[in-house]
Amino acid sequence: MGVDLASALLTDRSAPWSGTLAGAFLLAGNGLYSFLLSRRTRPAVLVRAARIESGVVVALPILAVLVRGEPSDVLRYGVLIGVVGAAAVLPRSIEITAVAIWAVLALVGADLIAIGFDAERLDGRLLSRWVMEGGIVATLGAIGGYLHSTRESTSERLRAAVEGLERAKAEWEVAFDGLHEMVFISDPEGRVLRANRAFAKVLGARPHELASRRLPELMAGHPDRWWSTTGDGIVEIEDAIFDTLFEVTSTRIGDRIIRVARDVGEQRRLYARLVQADKLAAVGVLASGVAHEINNPTAFVTSNLTELKRYVAAYDAALAELSQVGLSAGQAERVRALLGRSDVSFARREASNAIAESLQGMERIRQIVANLRSLARRDQSGEPAAPVELGEVVQAVVRTASSELRTASARVDLRGPVWVLGHRGELVDVVLNLVVNAVQARDESRPNAISIELFREHQSAVIRVSDSGKGIVPSHLKRLFEPFFTTKAPGEGTGLGLSLARKIILAHGGSIDVSSELGVGTTFTVRLPLMEEAKTGTGGRRDGGSGQGG
């Protein structure tokens, strides 16, 4: 249009003001469209404006004929701008096709208006121009439609790729934050770029609060091996602040260092406890074998002592009879001198007592052997349950741990015979474990008073073991019955005792409760269902009572 205007002015023709105004109108429309884009107007409004502008631009040939009567005016080729603009802006291919058809109709219509719709004025030049211009418009429309369809498919693929990327990113972030291992990514200078929730939790922060902070600053006081490794590798870090052992795997990718820290301290401790438990199991088997082997010499020593007691009594009777014979024979002085000898009088006085004490010692050995064999038989799940008198169970435990209980001034209160249905060996294990724990709970600064009680409570048999020891930390109470959990020093416990005790009690249909207060002591209460006969008072042993021991 500018060229047409300059040509008209130089050749003294009248200026094509109508074309100039049309061009100004189109420039104003484009300016308005750009303004709407800059204001982030809704896409529906922009598309509607583009449709109107395309329709007006394509209609320029008709406008040129109506205003200036010139079918060959430069405005005629505004259709090309309309078709190209429609291909660039309109969202659907069908709309581009409609604009192209409208452009061809506008070109033909402009020429028909110029010749007054007179068929006689149609000539080959006009027809050839229609064919040429129609071909150009159709080509532009086809290219625009192809580009538009390509853009649509590309946009669809891009949209799907972005959605897949966003979904993968969300899944990765959830998995990253859900890991129990601590994962943190840093640059070579030790500045944190990203960290998961597990790492932030141990530092008492949120993941986003760690970003851009340096590891030496975040982990001040921790071993510098946390951040000193700048390449690929695996290091084990014993961290005194975290009070555990970590296995840290470092992987370098470009200028990023990815570290994954796994707490292996508990795993190592569990392994050590399993080894200790296996040793204890072997000791149990060994104890059972030793107890069996001790039984044989114990039996014949006891038998010989019993016979010796009878022999001493016979010799004592014979000596008394000989003394009478000596007195009758007038040998009173010699008899008195003989019986008055220190070695003879000592032998007559102490022999019976020595034999009696030896028999008591052998009985004690027999009881210890029986208790060892009972304790060694831990797994009785395949055997049928039998009536068990809990008083006898408690007494067996008291005899086994008598020296420790004497030191602790233990009080034992057994109220009547209490019968339950179960496995004696397992119940001995339970009571012994509770008693040993009570003994080991002593506080060195004060005496440890232990109480062992057995009584009936409604339809249950109750065993209560109390101590006045250190007490249990509240945070440890909820983990007390977990396998391998222990607060004892390494080598002093496996953490299996209370776990197995609870398992045994539950298998017997009972329950175990614990209450504790720091500095006051701990009480374990075991409840087991009474035998049906014992509930009604028609069964069980009748010769029981209460006992005191220590």
Side-chain angles (χ1 to χ4, degrees), residues 134-215:
I136 293 173
V137 171
T139 302
L140 288 176
I143 294 173
Y146 172 76
L147 293 177
H148 189 274
S149 62
T150 303
R151 183 183 67 183
E152 284 184 338
S153 62
T154 303
S155 299
E156 187 63 32
R157 288 198 300 271
L158 179 62
R159 190 181 305 110
V162 170
E163 289 176 356
L165 183 63
E166 291 294 333
R167 185 168 56 253
K169 179 174 178 290
E171 293 171 353
W172 179 83
E173 288 178 345
V174 171
F176 184 72
D177 280 332
L179 289 173
H180 293 295
E181 290 81 3
M182 299 186 297
V183 183
F184 52 104
I185 304 171
S186 64
D187 59 19
E189 297 178 359
R191 190 173 290 104
V192 177
L193 303 176
R194 190 178 185 89
N196 72 342
R197 193 173 300 160
F199 183 66
K201 183 178 179 181
V202 299
L203 296 178
R206 296 181 178 179
H208 68 272
E209 296 172 350
L210 305 181
S212 302
R213 297 182 63 181
R214 299 184 71 250
L215 284 171

